[in-house]
């Protein structure tokens, strides 16, 4: 035998490549089928098992029609006829056929007319099972439909800022909100910023900058000037997308909140007028009550004096509620004024604590107050914060009997704290506690009276005194409220 006979090698190669070819076809996720112009199957590759579960023998000689989904049959036949009329032509179709397991499978077929091709003379279909892809597409379509319904119902406009190319795309709703014709928005950052109300521009730019730098979300309310010159309030919320730490895209939503803002303004105006109107009669009532107290005291009517004292303390509560309402409306309209005077904080603290102790028989107020220097600021407003924190500590700790009031002083600042051992505040509610009208509502707390304004006002006062206010609290164990203010001296 001649070693390395080239013909033998070539024969082996041919045999090998035939085998490889067959295996490839068998394992393929595509199946090939040859069909006569009448639609009779004359050949099917082994891989049909992977695609539709059948063996080639089960299909050979059968017509393709009975395998078609009734809803797709018309569409299929129409295209089949077209293909028949164009030798060498090709079609690409998606339709449903019966799987061996009885289910309907989506297939994608490339059909070629090889009627004139020597050795073939048939229509050749190359198809694959795309059921999973179709299901995913359907799901996506379904999600898109839900999203667009939600956007429509919420009247939400969506914008997409490609930061790299500086192109901004708006949905129709954003155009509507801005009252702008489709072609009259340049779609870049500068032309967007020019549509913002001048007074709000810096705030918006800073918020965008902050979101880009700190990788936080962007949520802001501001005014815009629309294409027709109207001023509208909008709420805009967005998320930034990063590529290797570089901000590349900002995707956001915009809602027109002009109506809500108008209603808020009306509410603030109403509260302002109502609290003003309530203040005068209550002050008069208090004055007459005090006169009566004096008269009855002189006449020795002690029972009536006791009742009038109780009435006076209720009038004080009413006055404090009205003042809180008035203060809140002043904060809203930027009219909360701060005085600047020199005062002795230790004296102020002792006065407030001693007075509150008189009306709080069930709690002992433990003072850990150092000697404080005279400082500058608004004495009355700081007193208001201290009173609010102590009365809250008393109010929210009905089952305990002590309140600890401390101060710590350094050259730069004064730290004040009030600790109670009462109901405490759950972690998730703690960041909301300084919001307007916020009150922790659970069945336990339903019995505590209040408007939810005290801490909102206290926060504003401390901010205006360049200080900070915060709390530490554990539900069921109690709370400590702190504020610190810088020491300013004359
Ligand atoms: P108000 O006490 O008038 O409702 P505040 O603004 O002073 O309003 O307080 C807001 C809410 O914060 C209260 O309703 C209460 O739920 C909670 N809170 C305030 N202080 C305390 C405290 N010391 N312990 C527990 N909860 C408190």
């Amino acid at each position: 035998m001649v070693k390395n006979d080239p013909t033998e090698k070539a024969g082996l190669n041919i045999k090998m490549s035939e085998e490889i070819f067959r295996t490839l076809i068998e394992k393929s996720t595509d199946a090939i089928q040859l069909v006569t112009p009448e639609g009779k199957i004359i050949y099917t590759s082994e891989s049909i098992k992977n695609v539709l579960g059948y063996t080639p023998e089960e299909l050979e000689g059968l017509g393709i029609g009975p395998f078609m989904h009734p809803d797709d049959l018309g569409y299929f036949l129409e295209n089949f006829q077209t293909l028949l009329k164009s030798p060498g032509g090709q079609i690409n179709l998606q339709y449903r056929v019966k799987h061996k397991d009885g289910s309907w499978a989506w297939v994608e077929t490339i059909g070629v007319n090889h009627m004139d091709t020597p050795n073939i003379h048939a229509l050749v279909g190359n198809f694959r099972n795309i059921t999973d892809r179709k299901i995913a597409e359907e799901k996506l379509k379904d999600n898109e439909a839900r999203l667009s319904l939600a956007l429509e119902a919420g009247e939400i406009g969506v914008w997409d800022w490609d930061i790299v190319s500086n192109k901004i795309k708006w949905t129709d709703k954003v155009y509507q909100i801005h009252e702008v014709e489709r072609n009259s928005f340049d779609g870049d950052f500068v032309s967007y910023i020019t549509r913002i109300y001048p007074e709000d521009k810096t705030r918006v730019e800073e918020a965008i900058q902050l979101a880009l730098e700190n990788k936080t979300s962007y949520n802001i309310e501001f005014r815009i000037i629309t294409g027709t010159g109207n001023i509208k309030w909008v709420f805009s919320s967005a998320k930034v997308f990063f590529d290797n730490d570089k901000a590349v895209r900002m995707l956001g939503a915009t809602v027109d909140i002009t109506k809500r803002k108008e209603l808020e303004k009306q509410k603030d105006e109403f509260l302002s007028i109502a609290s003003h109107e309530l203040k005068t009669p209550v002050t008069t009532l208090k004055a007459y009550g005090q006169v009566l107290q004096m008269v009855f005291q002189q006449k020795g009517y002690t029972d009536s004096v006791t009742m009038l004292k109780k009435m006076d303390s209720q009038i004080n509560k009413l006055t404090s509620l009205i003042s809180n309402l008035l203060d809140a409306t002043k904060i809203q309209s930027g009219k909360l004024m701060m005085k600047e005077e020199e005062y002795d904080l230790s004296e102020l603290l002792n006065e407030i604590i001693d007075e509150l102790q008189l009306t709080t028989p069930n709690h002992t107020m433990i003072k850990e107050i150092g000697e404080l220097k005279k400082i500058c600021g608004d004495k009355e407003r700081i007193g208001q914060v201290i009173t609010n924190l102590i009365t809250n500590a008393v109010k929210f700790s009905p089952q305990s009997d002590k309140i600890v009031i401390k101060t710590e002083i350094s050259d730069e600042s004064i730290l004040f704290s009030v600790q109670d051992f009462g109901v405490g505040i759950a972690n998730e509610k703690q960041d909301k506690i300084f919001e307007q009208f916020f009150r922790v509502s659970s069945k336990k707390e339903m019995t505590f009276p209040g408007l939810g304004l005290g801490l909102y006002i206290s926060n504003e006062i401390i901010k205006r005194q360049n200080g900070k206010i915060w709390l530490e609290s554990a539900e069921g164990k109690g709370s400590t409220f702190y504020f610190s203010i810088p020491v300013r001296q004359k």
Side-chain angles (χ1 to χ4, degrees), residues 252-266:
T254 292
V255 189
D256 182 348
I257 54 163
T258 315
K259 275 201 192 100
R260 196 193 87 199
K261 282 286 180 183
E262 274 163 12
L263 287 173
E264 271 175 18
K265 205 169 145 223
Q266 278 175 15

Side-chain angles (χ1 to χ4, degrees), residues 53-70:
Y54 303 98
T55 61
E57 296 73 37
E58 284 173 315
L59 300 176
E60 262 160 46
L62 299 179
I64 47 177
F67 289 93
M68 292 288 156
H69 190 287

Side-chain angles (χ1 to χ4, degrees), residues 274-330:
S275 38
H276 258 118
E277 291 298 317
L278 287 169
K279 214 175 161 184
T280 323
V282 172
T283 315
T284 317
L285 212 60
K286 186 173 169 72
Y288 279 120
Q290 281 170 347
V291 173
L292 266 184
Q293 249 190 71
M294 265 158 42
V295 175
F296 287 172
Q297 188 89 47
Q298 279 162 9
K299 297 198 169 167
Y301 299 161
T302 40
D303 282 358
S304 304
V305 171
T306 314
M307 277 193 273
L308 280 169
K309 275 190 179 151
K310 284 187 180 156
M311 203 171 93
D312 189 57
S313 112
Q314 293 303 316
I315 292 176
N316 285 345
K317 278 189 189 160
L318 196 57
T319 312
S320 138
L321 287 175
I322 295 169
S323 316
N324 274 352
L325 270 179
L326 208 57
D327 283 349
T329 61
K330 281 184 191 158

Side-chain angles (χ1 to χ4, degrees), residues 392 395-396 420 425 433 438-440 450-452 454-455 479 481:
N392 272 353
K395 181 160 81 175
F396 295 104
D420 67 61
I425 301 156
I433 214 89
F438 183 83
R439 308 190 60 231
V440 176
L451 293 177
L455 289 178
S479 317
F481 278 80

